[in-house]
Amino acid sequence: MDKSGDAAVVLEAAGLTKHYGSVAALRGTNFQAKAGEVVALIGDNGAGKSTLVKCLSGAEQPDGGAILLDGKPVVLDTPTAARKLGVETVYQDLAVAPDLDPAANLFLGRELLRRGFAGKLGMLDRTAMKSQAVEHFRRLGVTLQSADVPIGSLSGGQRQSVAVARAVMWASKVVFMDEPTAALGVVQRERVLDVIRRVRDHGIAVVLISHNMPEVLAVADRIEVLRLGKRVARFSAADVTLEQLVGAMTGALSHEDVA
Ligand SMILES: Nc1ncnc2c1ncn2[C@@H]1O[C@H](COP(=O)(O)OP(=O)(O)O)[C@@H](O)[C@H]1O
Ligand SMILES: [Mg+2]
């Protein structure tokens, strides 16, 4: 049984369509993310995963269909609009500023200013950002070799953990992660997966795009499968096999179209 089966649907795609010229990337795609669960979005290359994530995070506009947040239709016309509604995205490449320390990375573009006149002059409140960052890393179980060095000198896993922590810090509803561990080794990958689990345990909906099926089975609560721009299957991770997942992705196993 899907342990998050009763959880509320936070973000929903309903019949989304999206064309790039004559290519139909999304052909009436449905998708649901629920509070406090990790849902993996899987599918072969070209299935439409990235296009769906872009539409749901404000980076692209669908041609048709609806996007519902907490059951209400929303227009996510820019990534900023999505962020304002609590929807954040972590990209595949290690998207951090290497010259800045971990705290500065968390507040990148959303820096805290000092109170009063100093703040009006644009002076940053580094002490407040540092202490909030330390507390946030502690809550997520992110342990850094040092919080005082440029993030470029940390390991890939630590950098990606900071990128995940940054998205989570500002996400109140949903975090999309497009291949967050693709650049990482085995040990580092495990640490990032631990952070993802903790994010989920804080009640946020985590959408994980991954090609790594063992990783999907290890961390996801549910799995939704896209093929040729449509959702073709949904599984609870607890009772699905690798063979079923691959079969749904390739179309080798016939599934009821749940779209
Ligand atoms: N910017 C684009 N211009 C033209 N075609 C695109 C663009 N982005 C995606 N596509 C096409 O849309 C389809 C879905 O792509 P994509 O969403 O990237 O799939 P996935 O992430 O599952 O590999 C593919 O056929 C791809 O070639
Ligand atoms: Mg993609």
Side-chain angles (χ1 to χ4, degrees):
M1 181 55 205
D2 176 1
K3 71 178 176 181
S4 62
D6 299 332
V9 174
V10 182
L11 186 64
E12 176 163 5
L16 288 190
T17 55
K18 174 74 182 174
H19 286 80
Y20 294 106
S22 60
V23 177
L26 300 179
R27 300 187 305 150
T29 312
N30 295 334
F31 176 77
Q32 293 176 328
K34 298 177 184 178
E37 77 165 13
V38 178
V39 58
L41 177 61
I42 68 169
D44 207 351
N45 281 340
K49 304 180 296 296
S50 294
T51 304
L52 178 60
V53 170
K54 285 176 190 162
C55 289
L56 292 177
S57 59
E60 292 269 18
Q61 298 306 299
D63 303 329
I67 298 171
L68 308 170
L69 190 66
D70 291 328
K72 297 186 194 76
V74 286
V75 177
L76 306 176
D77 45 8
T78 61
T80 309
R83 281 192 210 113
K84 278 193 181 138
L85 294 172
V87 179
E88 292 277 337
T89 310
V90 181
Y91 292 98
Q92 171 170 3
D93 43 359
L94 302 162
V96 291
D99 299 335
L100 300 178
D101 70 22
N105 264 282
L106 279 195
F107 287 92
L108 198 61
R110 293 183 261 215
E111 289 82 359
L112 301 181
L113 295 178
R114 285 168 52 175
R115 287 161 191 261
F117 188 58
K120 289 205 177 69
L121 291 177
M123 289 178 71
L124 304 182
D125 192 341
R126 295 187 196 284
T127 313
M129 288 192 278
K130 185 68 174 287
S131 67
Q132 287 186 29
V134 166
E135 169 61 15
H136 186 62
F137 288 134
R138 191 193 59 71
R139 283 198 327 140
L140 288 179
V142 176
T143 47
L144 300 172
Q145 286 148 350
S146 167
D148 296 311
V149 296
I151 202 171
S153 66
L154 300 176
S155 72
Q158 297 208 333
R159 289 202 299 278
Q160 191 60 309
S161 292
V162 172
V164 169
R166 177 176 62 196
V168 170
M169 180 153 187
W170 307 104
S172 53
K173 305 259 180 206
V174 184
V175 178
F176 287 100
M177 304 199 192
D178 199 344
E179 300 275 354
T181 65
L184 304 181
V186 177
V187 174
Q188 299 178 334
R189 171 175 295 166
E190 279 308 313
R191 298 189 62 170
V192 171
L193 294 183
D194 276 339
V195 175
I196 291 173
R197 290 187 186 97
R198 289 216 190 194
V199 172
R200 182 258 323 269
D201 293 344
H202 281 102
I204 291 171
V206 180
V207 183
L208 175 70
I209 293 89
S210 176
H211 281 102
N212 183 322
M213 290 305 118
E215 169 177 301
V216 163
L217 290 170
V219 76
D221 300 296
R222 283 195 316 113
I223 300 162
E224 301 209 357
V225 185
L226 287 192
R227 189 157 62 84
L228 302 175
K230 290 194 98 171
R231 181 174 69 189
V232 292
R234 292 194 275 178
F235 299 103
S236 162
D239 44 45
V240 70
T241 64
L242 191 57
E243 192 188 12
Q244 285 175 302
L245 293 181
V246 174
M249 283 192 284
T250 61
L253 294 184
S254 67
H255 280 269
E256 239 177 276
D257 191 337
V258 295

